[in-house]
């Protein structure tokens, strides 16, 4: 799609944004994530931000991670506006970049692919619907997240602290979603869900599924350890019995 096909009223509310493709991940508003950048177009974009000419960029996730140089058809249409907080040069053509999500946007048209991607986008405001059901969903989400963090000690303690202190349901859903161990497709669906209540429901479903899987995994691990302990005890007793028989 080109600018000529965009309705005038939509065009008036749009803006041009340089786009950084992201594979195997989805960036959410309010989250801060480090990524490594090494693909030529992405490197050129990051080097452009170092010049101070770009204050924000757009992040779009790839539909298929194996695509090295994705075109517009290989990218999702909804993404996140991001600030580049920090850039560290790792090599001659590799950077470590820290991104902070600012807000959602929808891609209206892909306008340029070289030297890096540039598209026309429209920023999207959150649809806030605060009521008793929304608050109840937020409480359930926090409780489920608390249980999940209790079963996964490898997750950063800062994550638990941030989740506990968030009071805005929409922001809570995004922060939980950004820390979910879920497929890109599942995370992208949450990103594209603009209603906060519906987003909370989706997060709760994924989090509950993940929690149940961890519980089952823990139960299986305990059973395996118990069986191994029983086998080891039996082996030890057989060895003792053998030694006694040899002494006799």
């Amino acid at each position: 799609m080109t600018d000529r096909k965009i309705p005038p009223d939509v065009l008036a509310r749009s803006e041009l944004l340089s786009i950084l493709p992201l594979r195997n991940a989805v960036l959410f508003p309010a989250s801060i994530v480090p990524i490594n950048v090494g693909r030529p177009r992405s490197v050129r974009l990051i080097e452009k931000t170092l010049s101070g000419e770009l204050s924000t960029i757009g992040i779009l996730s790839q539909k298929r991670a194996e695509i090295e140089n994705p075109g517009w058809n290989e990218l999702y249409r909804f993404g996140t506006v991001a600030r580049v907080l920090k850039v560290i040069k790792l090599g001659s053509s590799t950077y470590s970049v820290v991104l902070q999500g600012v807000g959602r946007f929808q891609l209206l048209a892909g306008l340029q692919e070289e030297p890096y991607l540039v598209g026309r986008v429209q920023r999207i405001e959150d649809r806030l619907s605060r009521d008793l059901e929304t608050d109840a969903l937020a409480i359930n989400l926090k409780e489920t997240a608390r249980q999940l963090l209790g079963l996964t000690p490898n997750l950063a303690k800062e994550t638990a602290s941030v989740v506990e202190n968030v009071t805005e349901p929409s922001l809570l859903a995004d922060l939980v979603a950004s820390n979910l161990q879920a497929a890109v497709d599942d995370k992208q669906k949450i990103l594209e869900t603009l209603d906060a209540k519906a987003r909370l429901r989706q997060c709760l479903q994924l989090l509950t599924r993940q929690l149940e899987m961890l519980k089952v995994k823990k139960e299986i691990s305990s059973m395996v350890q118990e069986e191994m302990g029983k086998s080891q005890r039996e082996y030890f007793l057989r060895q003792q019995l053998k030694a006694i028989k040899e002494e006799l």
Side-chain angles (χ1 to χ4, degrees):
M1 180 187 288
T2 65
D3 282 355
R4 290 189 298 273
K5 296 180 181 179
I6 301 174
D9 59 325
V10 176
L11 189 63
R13 299 192 304 270
S14 68
E15 62 185 279
L16 296 182
L17 200 61
S18 300
I19 303 295
L20 180 70
L22 193 63
R23 52 182 167 188
N24 294 320
V26 176
L27 179 69
F28 283 86
S31 62
I32 298 175
V33 297
I35 64 168
N36 287 336
V37 173
R39 293 184 282 184
R41 285 192 308 197
S42 298
V43 166
R44 288 193 288 268
L45 175 54
I46 293 304
E47 288 176 343
K48 189 73 171 179
T49 66
L50 290 173
S51 68
E53 295 181 45
L54 297 175
S55 58
T56 56
I57 61 174
I59 308 297
L60 287 176
S61 296
Q62 294 182 207
K63 296 175 183 177
R64 293 184 297 160
E66 67 272 14
I67 303 296
E68 186 63 22
N69 292 303
W72 296 109
N73 290 333
E74 281 87 38
L75 299 173
Y76 288 103
R77 310 301 286 181
F78 285 81
T80 300
V81 179
R83 293 191 188 97
V84 179
L85 298 183
K86 191 174 184 179
V87 179
I88 301 172
K89 192 166 187 176
L90 301 177
S92 59
S93 58
T94 309
Y95 292 89
S96 175
V97 181
V98 179
L99 301 171
Q100 179 184 33
V102 176
R104 287 169 168 77
F105 73 85
Q106 180 181 5
L107 178 69
L108 301 176
L111 304 179
Q112 169 186 310
E113 293 194 7
E114 295 295 339
Y116 47 78
L117 298 172
V118 175
R120 182 168 291 282
V121 309
Q122 183 175 14
R123 299 202 189 203
I124 300 170
E125 297 297 326
D126 263 340
R127 296 177 187 171
L128 303 176
S129 52
R130 193 75 181 260
D131 53 24
L132 287 175
E133 184 183 0
T134 304
D135 289 340
L137 284 167
I139 291 170
N140 285 338
L141 187 60
K142 276 192 178 184
E143 176 58 32
T144 308
R146 204 177 292 125
Q147 293 179 46
L148 186 65
L149 288 166
L151 292 173
T152 50
N154 58 320
L155 284 177
K157 291 181 181 179
E158 292 81 3
T159 302
S161 176
V162 169
V163 168
E164 287 294 335
N165 292 320
V166 172
T167 57
E168 175 54 53
S170 176
L171 179 59
L172 175 66
D174 283 341
L175 285 170
V176 169
S178 68
N179 287 281
L180 274 173
Q181 294 177 347
V184 169
D185 284 351
D186 289 331
K187 288 192 170 189
Q188 184 66 30
K189 286 174 185 174
I190 295 175
L191 183 70
E192 294 182 11
T193 302
L194 306 183
D195 180 73
K197 191 185 297 184
R199 200 184 310 152
L200 283 166
R201 286 198 199 96
Q202 283 185 311
C203 281
L204 189 57
Q205 288 173 356
L206 283 175
L207 207 62
T208 302
R209 188 194 315 164
Q210 196 169 324
L211 180 61
E212 291 303 316
M213 287 177 64
L214 276 174
K215 285 180 178 178
V216 170
K217 185 179 177 181
K218 192 174 181 181
E219 287 174 8
I220 292 172
S221 180
S222 298
M223 288 170 60
V224 169
Q225 287 178 356
E226 187 178 335
E227 287 299 319
M228 286 177 64
K230 189 186 296 183
S231 299
Q232 288 171 347
R233 286 195 299 272
E234 290 175 353
Y235 174 76
F236 180 68
L237 289 172
R238 283 197 299 270
Q239 291 300 106
Q240 280 189 319
L241 184 60
K242 182 180 178 182
I244 291 169
K245 284 181 178 179
E246 287 176 355
E247 287 295 324
L248 292 173

